[in-house]
Amino acid sequence: MDTTSLFSLEGRVALITGGSRGIGRMIAEGFIGQGAKVYIVSRKAGDCEATARELGEKCIALQHDIATVEGCRSLASELATHEDRLDILVNNAGTAWGVPFEEFDEHGWDKVVDLNLKSPFFLTQAMHGLLKRAGSKDQPAKVINITSIDGQRLNPWDTYSYHASKAGLIYLTKRMAARLIRDSINVTSIAPGAFASKMNKAARDHGDQVAKAIPAGRIGTDEDMAAAAIYLAARAGDYVVGETITIDGGLVNAALGSSIDPDL
């Protein structure tokens, strides 16, 4: 058994939506470190280009808004002018919306569900041809959806559409996996917990406080996220299909609930 190449991404081509910051950037840096050529996508050209410069010559910035089906198809068309295949697609771009139940409106619902749930499906559909060209039974192409522990458990905030979109994406991951495996494309997901980012301001600004509720006693690091994504993207994860890997320090699966004192 030769284990030296299990986590190599040498020669692979990856595309990461929302790759200019936060979890997307963590994954991009990890992939590049393992030898991949990485395209990062953002609505904001300046942010995307700045990140690409920081991550080096193997990182290429593409400006696209993938919140619409047209935007997804436009991105796929542009990528096809640069590459004849796509080995790894990471559907990471996402947004959140928190408003009290009585005030929650259609705009907040549609904004979140369109980007978090609809776009991963239609972008994968638009990239299907490039992914099929890359995949084989010996080396499948990979689609990695970034879901959330908020699709597995409740948080205390009024983020109704976020909860729904992430729970839906976890199940959509399974359904897409069942279809795309026949084309040698493995679909999986990562459900992050507390990682410092613009979206997770609590972890970013109050990490020590947030860590008190996490069994591992800390929030996630860049390396924690990169490691999970590299595993799924590389040879090491070739036999993982339809699975959601929870990266949260034990909050979902190892946190004890509170109980009523039996003496009361």
Side-chain angles (χ1 to χ4, degrees):
M1 181 185 295
D2 178 11
T3 62
T4 57
S5 62
L6 283 180
F7 298 93
S8 173
L9 296 175
E10 198 67 40
R12 307 284 184 93
V13 176
L15 184 141
I16 303 171
T17 65
S20 67
R21 66 189 187 196
I23 285 172
R25 182 190 170 119
M26 296 174 198
I27 295 172
E29 186 171 0
F31 282 3
I32 291 167
Q34 293 303 106
K37 178 182 182 182
V38 177
Y39 289 85
I40 57 172
V41 182
S42 173
R43 288 184 301 110
K44 299 179 180 178
D47 292 349
C48 206
E49 290 165 1
T51 297
R53 286 193 297 270
E54 291 168 5
L55 294 183
E57 62 182 12
K58 284 197 168 185
C59 188
I60 301 98
L62 298 177
Q63 180 192 16
H64 279 271
D65 182 354
I66 60 164
T68 66
V69 175
E70 180 183 358
C72 292
R73 292 173 179 167
S74 174
L75 172 57
S77 294
E78 181 175 356
L79 184 65
T81 67
H82 299 286
E83 304 290 343
D84 61 3
R85 75 181 202 282
L86 178 62
D87 299 286
I88 307 155
L89 170 62
V90 181
N91 288 310
N92 167 70
T95 191
W97 191 269
V99 176
F101 175 76
E102 296 83 357
E103 303 167 23
F104 209 98
D105 60 17
E106 185 178 14
H107 169 71
W109 185 272
D110 290 347
K111 178 182 178 181
V112 172
V113 174
D114 283 354
L115 184 58
N116 293 7
L117 183 57
K118 185 171 78 173
S119 289
F121 178 85
F122 284 102
L123 183 58
T124 304
Q125 183 189 68
M127 296 288 185
H128 188 210
L130 293 173
L131 290 162
K132 282 177 68 174
R133 284 194 205 82
S136 67
K137 284 185 171 57
D138 292 333
Q139 185 175 292
K142 306 293 180 68
V143 176
I144 304 171
N145 295 323
I146 304 303
T147 55
S148 172
I149 62 170
D150 288 350
Q152 301 170 309
R153 64 185 288 278
L154 296 177
N155 71 44
W157 303 294
D158 289 311
T159 53
Y160 302 98
S161 52
Y162 187 79
H163 272 104
S165 68
K166 293 301 185 178
L169 187 54
I170 288 171
Y171 209 88
L172 181 61
T173 294
K174 296 176 182 290
R175 186 61 187 89
M176 290 170 65
R179 166 59 185 86
L180 295 181
I181 188 66
R182 72 178 73 163
D183 297 324
S184 298
I185 302 167
N186 290 6
V187 186
T188 56
S189 98
I190 295 173
F195 283 81
S197 68
K198 185 174 181 180
M199 185 179 296
N200 193 334
K201 295 179 181 178
R204 184 192 67 187
D205 300 337
H206 308 285
D208 290 343
Q209 187 66 28
V210 170
K212 293 178 181 178
I214 299 172
R218 64 175 177 85
I219 66 170
T221 66
D222 293 9
E223 291 81 1
D224 293 324
M225 182 53 56
I230 291 166
Y231 163 65
L232 290 175
R235 167 65 184 91
D238 280 0
Y239 210 52
V240 181
V241 182
E243 184 61 75
T244 292
I245 298 181
T246 305
I247 311 295
D248 71 342
L251 194 56
V252 169
N253 295 311
L256 297 174
S258 59
S259 61
I260 299 173
D261 188 331
D263 294 330
L264 293 178

